[in-house]
């Protein structure tokens, strides 16, 4: 009987897939690698393999690491600029050797290798690492990959029966990104660290640079200065109210407000002189509040922060990890990954906001009818109220939108964060499959003097999706009394009031994610990591917005002193140390976090901005261009070598200018961190 070796990206996925394929709990063997087990069973694959003996095992993220050749690894072994061309070596880290040895042993006697890594760019690259090690042991192996987006049993069986080839274009894109991040990050990190450390004893940590981290930091610092430098402006506006049928109707000025007091006064006096107002428009028409689009990763991270009080990295992790949830704060990314590995939701890294019409959505809804909170609503959908979800504009051609694939009772989930995020995913899915909320909107316009004023009313007739999706608000307003076009009345009150413009708030996590998404900084899978990284480096701190409001009332909104920098590390999976947020408590269940830069964070951004070259390293343009090139590799429009050469040329030019003007960066550190010249 031929043998097939199956390798997953995580031990939890390996176990779940093995149990589905075996149809029962399979035999297990220890491997010598911590957390890694081999599962043995038989399974009937499609042609040409047929009935086979199967061993399912796993890795834990990346198997290989990349670093410069030994002669270039010392901080002073070469000038930082030489790292743009220094030789790079790939190797299996000592901590991963037992995992690699297990794959080598099992591959010796296998006929085929099936890759079961996550179906995204990073997963494709990890699959390539696995295949390289297996092929060294057995060059005759046929390599295939299982394409899956959740670990529901029927889905896993289909993936096993219909394997595909590894996507070498995605592998090349990740290889290009890894090389670029290593060369660019190491060269700039060494340059700025060796230049800044001699300035003072409080600057002895590594001052790391990352081509995604710095634009992310730049967004935070830019908003910080917009808040600090804000100068309020006084404006004037006219407000008209009228009491009718015991209802006090407030009419808003069409001009909203004016910054010229004299002009506002003249217009107000004309209104008063006219005495009577005339009704010029009464319009009542149907209106709707659209149900939400299917859920993407970026939307999950934004709403996890805004609605559930979870930082973006936690929300994704609860959907995938090995470690217990108590090891980190509530992070929407982490929770989502754990729910995924348990088989409760689909793959949580997706850009797709439209469901393929081939998916049986009503069957998925049927699974939710058992719940005590939303089960009755789900039953109503399968009973005839189901509507095909709206289709967004994005389809990554890899994964469907995030949705529940199995029902799990709330008391079976380990923490409150898991329960809240699973509930959100379910309610979002049910809302997508519902009817829009419907109502009637009434608009009344009046002419008072020569000015136009208006008021609006809303009457909600059918709540529909709002009954299952409490995260949206759409409530009926106070009922408006009857007005007739052409009638005149003397307003009960007309006053001119004074106001002032207010500053923007500091950048919140949902706003930061939206900026990163719009500017192409990172991918849906890595944005949370970049945010966690600038917190870990102490370039920024996070704090609950409610706490921030209290501090701002006391005038305490200066940049936070200090910031330790941190060791330069590249993104990707399999990191042994998760990012740790610095500063800022959780604040409350639904408290949105906002970011304040440290003095070091401000100094780095202001230093690069003051060097006078465009684009600045704190701006998103260079990294956005690089991300577009990665996409071009995936689409076959560019090659790995061409992208690496082109991108290194751009960053090398910036590096040369930075080296010549490094005193500008030093001056910014002296000003903002050391307080010299203040």
């Amino acid at each position: 009987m031929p043998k097939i070796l199956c390798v997953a990206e995580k031990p939890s996925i390996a176990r779940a897939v093995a149990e589905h394929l075996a149809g029962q709990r399979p035999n297990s063997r220890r491997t010598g690698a911590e957390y890694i087990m081999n599962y043995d069973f038989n399974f009937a694959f499609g042609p040409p393999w047929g009935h086979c003996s199967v061993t399912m095992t796993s890795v834990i993220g990346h198997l290989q690491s990349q670093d410069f050749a030994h002669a270039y690894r010392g901080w002073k072994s070469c000038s930082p600029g030489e790292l743009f061309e220094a030789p790079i070596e790939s190797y299996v880290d000592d901590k991963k050797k037992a995992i690699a040895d297990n794959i080598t042993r099992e591959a010796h006697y296998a006929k085929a290798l099936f890759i079961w890594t996550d179906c995204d760019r990073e997963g494709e690259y990890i699959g390539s690492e696995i295949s390289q090690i297996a092929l060294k042991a057995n060059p005759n192996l046929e390599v295939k990959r299982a394409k899956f987006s959740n670990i529901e049993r029927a889905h896993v069986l289909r993936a096993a029966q219909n394997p595909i080839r590894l996507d070498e274009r995605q592998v090349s894109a990740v290889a290009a990104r890894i090389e670029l991040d290593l060369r660019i990050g190491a060269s700039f990190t060494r340059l700025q660290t060796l230049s800044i450390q001699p300035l003072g004893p409080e600057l002895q940590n590594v001052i790391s640079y990352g081509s995604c981290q710095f634009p992310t930091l730049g967004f935070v610092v830019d908003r910080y200065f917009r808040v600090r430098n804000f100068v309020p402006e006084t404006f004037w506006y006219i407000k008209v109210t009228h009491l009718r049928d015991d209802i006090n109707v407030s009419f808003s000025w069409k001009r909203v407000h004016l910054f010229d007091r004299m002009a506002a006064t003249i217009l107000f006096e004309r209104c008063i002189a006219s005495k009577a107002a005339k009704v010029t428009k009464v319009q009542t028409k149907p209106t709707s509040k659209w149900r939400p689009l299917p859920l993407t990763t970026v939307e999950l991270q934004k709403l996890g922060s805004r609605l559930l009080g979870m930082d973006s990295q936690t929300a994704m992790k609860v959907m995938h990890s090995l470690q217990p949830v108590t090891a980190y704060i509530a992070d929407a990314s982490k929770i989502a990954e754990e729910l995924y590995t348990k088989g409760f939701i689909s793959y949580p890294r997706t850009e797709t906001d439209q469901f393929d019409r081939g998916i049986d959505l009503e069957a998925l809804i049927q699974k939710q009818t058992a719940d005590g909170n939303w089960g009755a609503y789900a039953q109503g959908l399968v009973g005839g109220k189901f509507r095909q979800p709206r289709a967004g504009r994005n389809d990554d051609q890899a994964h469907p939108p995030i949705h529940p694939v199995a029902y799990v009772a709330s008391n079976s989930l380990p923490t409150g964060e898991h329960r809240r995020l699973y509930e959100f995913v379910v309610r979002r899915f049910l809302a997508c499959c519902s009817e829009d909320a419907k109502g009637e909107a009434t608009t009344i316009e009046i002419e008072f003097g020569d000015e136009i004023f208006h008021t609006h009313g809303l009457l909600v007739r059918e709540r529909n999706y709002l009954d299952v999706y409490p995260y949206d608000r759409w409530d009926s307003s106070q009922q408006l009394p009857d007005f007739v076009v052409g009638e005149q009345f003397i307003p009960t009150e007309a006053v001119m009031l004074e106001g002032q413009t207010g500053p923007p708030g500091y950048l919140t996590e949902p706003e930061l994610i939206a900026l990163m998404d719009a500017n192409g900084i990172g991918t849906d899978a890595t944005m949370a990591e970049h945010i966690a990284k600038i917190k870990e480096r102490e370039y920024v701190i996070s704090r609950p917005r409610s706490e921030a409001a209290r501090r701002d009332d006391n005038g305490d909104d200066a940049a936070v002193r200090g910031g330790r920098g941190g060791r330069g590390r590249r993104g990707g999976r399999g990191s042994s140390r998760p990012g740790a947020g610095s500063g800022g408590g959780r604040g409350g269940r639904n408290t949105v976090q906002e970011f304040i830069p440290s003095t070091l964070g401000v100094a780095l951004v202001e230093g690069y901005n003051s060097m006078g070259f465009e684009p600045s390293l704190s701006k998103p343009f260079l990294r956005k261009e690089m991300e577009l090139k990665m996409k071009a590799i995936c689409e076959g429009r560019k090659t790995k070598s061409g992208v690496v050469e082109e991108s290194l040329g751009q960053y090398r030019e910036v590096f040369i200018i930075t080296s010549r003007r490094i005193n500008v960066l030093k001056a910014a550190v002296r000003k903002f961190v050391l307080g010299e010249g203040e």
Side-chain angles (χ1 to χ4, degrees), residues 31-50:
T31 64
E34 190 177 11
Y35 302 122
I36 305 297
M37 299 292 289
N38 289 345
Y39 302 97
D40 299 317
F41 53 92
N42 296 330
F43 182 76
F45 290 92
W49 298 282

Side-chain angles (χ1 to χ4, degrees), residues 227 503-508 541-558 587 591-596:
V227 175
Y506 292 111
L507 203 62
T508 64
I541 64 108
S542 62
R543 67 186 188 187
R545 169 155 276 187
S546 56
E547 175 187 341
R550 291 194 298 271
R551 290 183 179 178
D552 292 346
D553 287 343
N554 296 326
D556 180 18
D557 59 353
T591 303
V592 175
Q593 298 288 300
E594 65 179 8
F595 299 110
I596 312 295

Side-chain angles (χ1 to χ4, degrees), residues 10 19 38 222 273 316 328 441 464 568 574 577 587 595:
K10 309 170 189 67
E19 290 178 352
N38 289 345
D222 178 68
M316 288 303 296
Y328 46 75
N464 296 328
R577 180 184 176 191
F595 299 110

Side-chain angles (χ1 to χ4, degrees), residues 105-167:
R105 285 192 304 270
E106 298 298 327
H108 268 299
Y109 307 103
K111 180 179 180 180
L113 169 68
F114 277 29
I115 302 296
W116 286 81
T117 52
D118 292 342
C119 293
D120 58 12
R121 280 190 209 169
E122 207 79 16
E124 217 70 14
Y125 186 84
I126 294 171
S128 176
E129 292 178 333
I130 294 167
S131 66
Q132 289 175 32
I133 289 172
L135 287 169
K136 285 182 181 178
N138 183 353
N140 296 319
L141 272 178
E142 185 172 2
V143 179
K144 294 289 184 178
R145 81 110 68 236
K147 184 176 181 180
F148 64 107
S149 59
N150 65 69
I151 54 171
E152 188 265 334
R153 186 171 187 272
H155 188 74
V156 167
L157 293 177
R158 282 196 299 272
Q161 296 282 0
N162 299 281
I164 60 175
R165 293 172 179 256
L166 275 173
D167 188 337

Side-chain angles (χ1 to χ4, degrees), residues 58-124:
S58 75
V59 294
I60 302 178
H62 283 281
L63 269 176
Q64 296 182 339
S65 299
Q66 290 75 32
D67 205 345
F68 296 107
H70 187 75
Y72 295 85
R73 293 182 188 177
W75 276 84
K76 298 182 179 179
S77 59
C78 63
S79 67
E82 292 181 56
L83 298 179
F84 279 96
E85 298 177 349
I88 293 175
E89 299 175 348
S90 293
Y91 59 93
V92 176
D93 189 86
D94 289 343
K95 295 179 180 179
K96 301 291 182 75
K97 283 184 177 179
I99 300 175
D101 290 344
N102 179 53
I103 293 173
T104 298
R105 285 192 304 270
E106 298 298 327
H108 268 299
Y109 307 103
K111 180 179 180 180
L113 169 68
F114 277 29
I115 302 296
W116 286 81
T117 52
D118 292 342
C119 293
D120 58 12
R121 280 190 209 169
E122 207 79 16
E124 217 70 14

Side-chain angles (χ1 to χ4, degrees), residues 361-363 365-369 374-387 430 433-434:
L361 300 180
E362 291 191 67
I365 295 171
Q366 181 67 51
K367 296 179 181 181
Q368 300 297 327
T369 58
W374 56 78
Y377 187 90
Q379 187 63 56
L381 292 181
V382 296
K385 295 183 178 181
F386 170 80
R387 296 292 182 271
L430 296 178
C433 300
S434 302

Side-chain angles (χ1 to χ4, degrees), residues 167-186:
D167 188 337
E168 294 298 334
R169 291 174 177 175
Q170 292 194 53
V171 173
S172 295
V174 175
R177 189 265 301 162
I178 289 174
E179 180 176 348
L180 289 170
D181 284 353
L182 174 59
R183 293 189 184 280
I184 296 167

